[in-house]
Amino acid sequence: MCGIAGILRFDRTSNQEEIGRMNDSIAHRGPDGAGFHLREGVALAHRRLSIIDLELGKQPMLSSDKEIAITYNGEIYNYPELRTQLKELGYHFKTNSDTEVLIAGYQIWGTDFVKKLRGMFAFCIADFHNEKLFLARDQFGIKPLLYRPTSNYFAFSSELSALRLVDDLSPKGSIESIEHFLRFSYIPAPATIFKGIYKLLPGHSLTINFDGKIEAEEKFYESNFGKIKDNSSKSWVNETEKALQESVKSHLLSDVPFGVFLSGGIDSTLVAGMMSKILGKNVNAFAIGFDDKEYNELEFAQRAADKYGICLTTHLVHDDAIEIFPELLKHYGEPFGDSSAIPSWHVAKLARESVPMVLSGDGGDEMFAGYLSHKNWLEKSPQNYIKEQFVNGRIIPAMRGLLGYTKRYFNEGSFNLLEEWYPKFTYSDAKIRNLFWKENYASITETKNFLFEKMHAEAKSMERLEYAQFMDMNTNMPGHILTKVDIASMYHGLEVRTPFIDKEILQLASLIPTNEKFNANEFSPGKYNLKRLLGKDFDRDFIYRKKQGFSIPKHKWFAKNKSGYNLLKELMNNKSNKLHQFFNVKRIEEMLNEHASNEKNNANLLWLFLTLGCWFRDNANIEFEW
């Protein structure tokens, strides 16, 4: 686990100072060392967090003939098997690192070798013989990879900060990305807050020649999710248990001590329990709580730890936790509106004081349908609507609904409409438009989002629940959940591994029938197979309690004279803050006063403006283009 950066200059010049600045900006991602390789206009840089092959795994790593160089961030969990296959094909390894397996795979199998990889990764291979760069990002977007293509150079990095340190004019800001941020609370790929800087989509690769021509951007990973089902009578609980055990075991590959995040929720408890059973010894777990009991799940984390004989280290987060947010936001490099980045930062800090690597339960909701939005999406399906009308004797509305949905199906080829999916987690056009200055909002001509449109086109013919899961897996999970965890953890140089977010787990999830994942008769209907699996060790009050999530009591932080209230007031009082340039700040202030007087809970939207205000304050020199 590391940080990477690089630049290819088409005039074949290389600048040690330039690549040095870029690498220094991501030093926190790799506290164990730095490395560089400069040749023929290519400058590769690396920051290392040593997890596997501590002595020989340094990067950038070169092939034996020195014609291939790689800078790589991640872990390949099936690298021992790939290493064996490559040895049988005649490759002679000098190290025991997964990095060299990537070099060997590229040399022997070509660019298709990425299809064989199981793990989390973002890398750049410089092929000096064929004069091209080959970049790839893992199937789920666990690891970030951003790039900046221009007419003079092509640069890439793990974080946005490095791409702003290239010897060039500062990139321009994108007002459309601000609108997307307010809509989704993050900026979906491939866009960033900057024009001309992009995120490589998960499961995609990019090839660029040394002369600057982008040869190909390809999607190398296609899942079968939502396309196949297995309706046999096999025990899906047992199948899930076997697959998760195998995934947890593969994710434990390490040459350094490790632990686990344990919130006390379904997913982290399963991962922690399996770790304990596999290792047969005490596991170090880490959890945080809040002064506010409504947001404090430490009781459940402790129950899980006691059950499995796990050593649990805890920390209480107080109201002053918001003080770290402006500094943390700088590492995201752009507005990022998930307030749970704060507890993520704290639990990562807590863990890093003891271990350099942990496992987490992220991905369980996406793979096994655990979100409240999945429940609401199913309940509001056309079939349920029509059934509800008939049951309540509303025959005419039922017939109108049936006619309307039938017409929709013939027009759209699907009952799943993107405009109905958007409101599950976004604000309406009218709400956002009312906050922008009219002339600014009028300049945004495209309100649709490329990523959501692309994923909807792939998913619209899926069954109702699978549509929701697919959309979350390919939009919210990489752009929101995984980005939050990566930045908050790498701030402290902590590697986080996610056994639920795995090729083999997804293959299993694609087979499981809807009724095995979702039981509408339960108070908490999602993740039905995971809950039955956890039921082998815990009673119903632990398993079927109200879903908590990893959130902060931000509605109280925006109460009058509390930390969030005061910070947002300070930002709005600064007339030079670009909040005043883009938005009617009086309306934002009205929302804050409404909230402070308990008239209306506006905490979620206020947090987004707090985020924007902090980012604008720290990036006052950025000019925006319409």
Side-chain angles (χ1 to χ4, degrees), residues 109-166:
W109 292 316
T111 57
D112 276 352
F113 85 98
V114 290
K115 298 177 181 178
K116 300 176 181 287
L117 304 179
R118 178 185 185 185
M120 53 182 182
F121 54 86
F123 62 77
C124 174
I125 289 176
D127 183 340
F128 292 99
H129 177 72
N130 293 300
E131 296 194 333
K132 61 180 65 177
L133 299 183
F134 177 70
L135 295 86
R137 186 182 182 196
D138 68 69
Q139 297 90 341
F140 301 101
I142 303 172
K143 292 290 99 189
L145 187 54
L146 302 102
Y147 63 97
R148 185 178 181 182
T150 75
S151 59
N152 298 316
Y153 64 84
F154 176 92
F156 66 89
S157 182
S158 298
E159 294 187 10
L160 267 172
S161 59
L163 297 178
R164 297 177 62 183
L165 296 174
V166 177

Side-chain angles (χ1 to χ4, degrees), residues 94 195 222 288 346 420:
K94 297 179 294 184
K195 288 180 174 289
E222 292 281 358
I288 63 163
H346 279 281
E420 290 184 355

